[in-house]
Amino acid sequence: MMKNINMNENKMSKKTKLILNIISLIVFALLITLLDKRVIGDSYVRRVLNTSAVYAIVAVSMNLINGFTGLFSLGQAGFMALGAYVVAIFTVPVGLRPSIFYVIKQNPVLAQIELPFFVALILGGLLAAFVAILIGIPVLRLKSDYLAIATLGFSEIIRIVITNIQPITNGALGINRIPEMPTMWIFFGILILSVIFIKLLIASSYGRAFKAIREDDIAAEAMGINLFKHKVLSFAIGAFFAGIGGGLYASLLGSVVPNSFNIPMTYNFLLIIVLGGMGSVSGTIISSFVVTSGLEVLRFFDDKLTIGGVVIPIFRPGFRMVIFSALLMILVLFFRNGLLGQKELSWDLIRKKFLRKKSDKRGAE
Amino acid sequence: MSVLKLESVTMQFGGVTDNNNLNIDVENGKIVALIGPNGAGKTTTFNVVTGVYQPTKGNVYYNGEKINGLLPDKITKKGIARIFQNIRLFSKLTVLENILIANHLHIKSDFLSSTVRMPWARNEEKAMREKSEMLLNKLGLLHLKNETSSSLPYGEQRKLEIARALATDAKLLLLDEPAAGMNPSETEQLANFIHSIRDEFNLTIFMIEHHMDLVMKISDKIYVLDFGQLIAEGTADEVKNNPKVIEAYLGVEEDA
């Protein structure tokens, strides 16, 4: 009996895995297409899924910096804001601008420029990467918590600058009427492309150098790795994808205000990567979807609850965050490495988990 | 011909002088040892050579070229690699990954072509893997290539750390207490290992060591450091019988 189980635990053949991969890809594509064509689900479900996809892009980019390169950076919301604002400024139709910039007129040069969505999106990513390099040159010499404080500060500076350059950003009023995307595939397509790019980067020689810096920067430097260059590289690539995520977020919401990109926004992503596993791309994606939809599922805690005519007093707006935080504490206490730690989701892993449970049951009987 | 030359190197930290006016000459192809009691400033000397510290005074030359003032990664690129006193492997990564990382310094493809797997980047990666596996094979570590490096026994970890330093294509190897924590038979094996890689890879070796039998057995030249001062230099026999060295290690009899 034991022998049987052990044999089952041997790795699956490549062919089985390929078939399973193809099946799950088809199921995934079918699901998104059905949702997209409004055959199943409603606009609420679609919105939650789109938000999850956007959060996943930003969270994976943050994991590249924090989980794979070992830089404790908290600047992701700032980079997102840059991407979001580039999309907002350049994609709103020129004709609508005067009604948006009604307090202070938009800069006359910018008021004439309207770019296609994808051009603006890439531009936003590039701007975020450029700013990351500028910020990175002074602050990436810092380590651990000092770096965290410096990047948090810079992210706030970005937000405050955006609030105060009204002719460009419309200040605290924000920009609305950002064109909406016709299909969910834009969010999910870009998520897939970003994840593939980051996965390939991590598996390349540069990705190994990032991991070396995470493991032991002194040894990495002694092995000839230019710490500064590689840290800036990882930081800029992470910022690029955060900018892309920000641009998508802007078009998802249809409007941007500087306050959307405050410090709690960065904490959301920190939470997602810690829960998913620092150094696990698949863990990050799973936890993006779980955290985002989890926050929605918990929404009934915010509504009034009456049992037998008695109003339960603690069920009121904001209570869901209490529950959510309590769940987080439990998770962090019992699963310190997050969902997947530094591992990636694979069929072997699923099979192993599944078989272990089965054999446990058998043992209990 | 001298490979590494320290010319009146002084290293001070505030009021503390860790190295005082050192003149060290490491000749090509030789095994040179730096010994001395704890706290004599031996590791400081290594840190000066590898660029971790900038000497307060004096210069360091590698093949006649001044290297003090360069960052550690630049110095490694020139051909000096080190192993650390307390093993510093990339412990969560595999044996092969550790070696591949040490190959990264010579990479020619930029990150973008490396990421999107352009043909030339693919070839470079393939060559890197072949070279790494060949090195592991030579050192008898190939069967461990997919093991996590922290799971290896202590002796193998030391070996891997030396292999990693070799993977940078270094010609001068700095070994900081390679035999620390090893029993006599492991030390013996290590001595043979150091000897054999020196011959096989045409290396020059500069090492710090406390195991006197190891030092005496394989070193061509020995420098003795005490309180930051060089107190003796020469062959094993010369150093062994030097009264200053005996005093530094055992102390001197006090007059009654």
Side-chain angles (χ1 to χ4, degrees), chain B residues 6-242:
Chain B
L6 277 73
E7 224 173 57
S8 42
V9 166
T10 299
M11 185 72 227
Q12 285 172 323
F13 298 95
V16 182
T17 305
D18 252 27
N19 281 174
N20 191 8
N21 201 22
L22 300 192
N23 288 295
I24 291 176
D25 208 335
V26 178
E27 272 179 54
N28 194 15
K30 295 277 180 346
I31 297 179
V32 177
L34 181 62
I35 64 170
N38 285 328
K42 306 180 295 293
T43 300
T44 303
T45 311
F46 269 27
N47 283 337
V48 168
V49 173
T50 53
V52 177
Y53 300 145
Q54 304 304 329
T56 319
K57 268 181 234 150
N59 286 314
V60 182
Y61 297 93
Y62 177 64
N63 287 332
E65 188 188 348
K66 191 180 129 192
I67 57 166
N68 50 313
L70 296 178
L71 284 170
D73 58 287
K74 295 282 173 316
I75 292 177
T76 309
K77 261 179 206 149
K78 291 202 180 294
I80 304 179
R82 76 184 289 187
I83 71 156
F84 293 89
Q85 192 168 357
N86 35 2
I87 299 180
R88 277 178 176 271
L89 288 169
F90 305 120
S91 50
K92 283 181 195 154
L93 306 181
T94 66
V95 169
L96 182 63
E97 279 176 310
N98 267 278
I99 302 291
L100 285 170
I101 285 164
N103 274 290
H104 181 73
L105 78 169
H106 298 302
I107 196 164
K108 289 199 180 64
S109 333
D110 60 294
F111 87 92
L112 209 53
S113 45
S114 227
T115 303
V116 300
R117 309 286 192 270
M118 294 308 270
W120 61 87
R122 241 176 233 258
N123 287 339
E124 195 175 21
E125 171 81 15
K126 205 175 143 215
M128 221 183 242
R129 280 179 186 273
E130 276 167 11
K131 192 182 147 222
S132 303
E133 294 198 355
M134 223 157 76
L135 178 69
L136 285 174
N137 193 22
K138 266 187 191 166
L139 303 186
L141 291 166
L142 190 60
H143 61 290
L144 299 169
K145 72 171 180 177
N146 292 323
E147 301 289 325
T148 310
S149 60
S150 60
S151 73
L152 302 188
Y154 185 80
E156 305 279 277
Q157 288 196 21
R158 270 283 176 224
K159 233 174 167 181
L160 176 59
E161 210 188 8
I162 295 174
R164 190 181 65 176
L166 283 175
T168 63
D169 292 331
K171 285 293 155 210
L172 172 63
L173 225 50
L174 305 188
L175 309 178
D176 197 344
E177 294 195 32
M182 286 186 174
N183 64 30
S185 85
E186 284 171 329
T187 308
E188 172 90 29
Q189 275 177 24
L190 184 79
N192 295 332
F193 180 71
I194 292 173
H195 233 278
S196 69
I197 56 165
R198 195 262 312 252
D199 296 340
E200 181 152 6
F201 297 92
N202 297 317
L203 300 175
T204 306
I205 287 169
F206 187 27
M207 68 170 184
I208 294 173
E209 192 45 74
H210 280 299
H211 281 66
M212 280 313 137
D213 34 347
L214 174 70
V215 171
M216 298 300 165
K217 188 177 159 196
I218 64 172
S219 329
D220 298 304
K221 192 173 184 185
I222 298 170
Y223 285 91
V224 188
L225 205 57
D226 189 26
F227 291 112
Q229 309 271 2
L230 273 183
I231 54 170
E233 61 179 271
T235 61
D237 286 325
E238 287 165 9
V239 166
K240 226 188 299 186
N241 300 319
N242 188 318

Side-chain angles (χ1 to χ4, degrees), chain A residues 70-83:
Chain A
L71 304 169
F72 192 13
S73 158
L74 296 176
Q76 231 54 8
F79 299 133
M80 243 184 121
L82 291 173

Side-chain angles (χ1 to χ4, degrees), chain A residues 253-310:
Chain A
L253 295 181
S255 66
V256 286
V257 284
N259 277 345
S260 316
F261 304 100
N262 50 9
I263 291 173
M265 182 83 167
T266 296
Y267 288 155
N268 264 341
F269 295 114
L270 185 65
L271 187 144
I272 288 172
I273 62 174
V274 169
L275 286 185
M278 295 276 250
S280 169
V281 173
S282 41
T284 306
I285 298 168
I286 295 169
S287 102
S288 298
F289 280 85
V290 170
V291 169
T292 315
S293 38
L295 276 173
E296 295 298 324
V297 170
L298 292 175
R299 225 168 249 286
F300 73 90
F301 285 111
D302 279 3
D303 298 334
K304 249 191 196 154
L305 183 73
T306 324
I307 298 173
V310 183

Side-chain angles (χ1 to χ4, degrees), chain A residues 85 88-89 92 100-101 168-170 173-176 178 254-256:
Chain A
Y85 266 90
I89 291 164
V92 174
I100 297 167
F101 288 82
I168 299 171
T169 61
N170 207 21
L173 292 171
I175 299 173
N176 52 15
I178 302 164
S255 66
V256 286

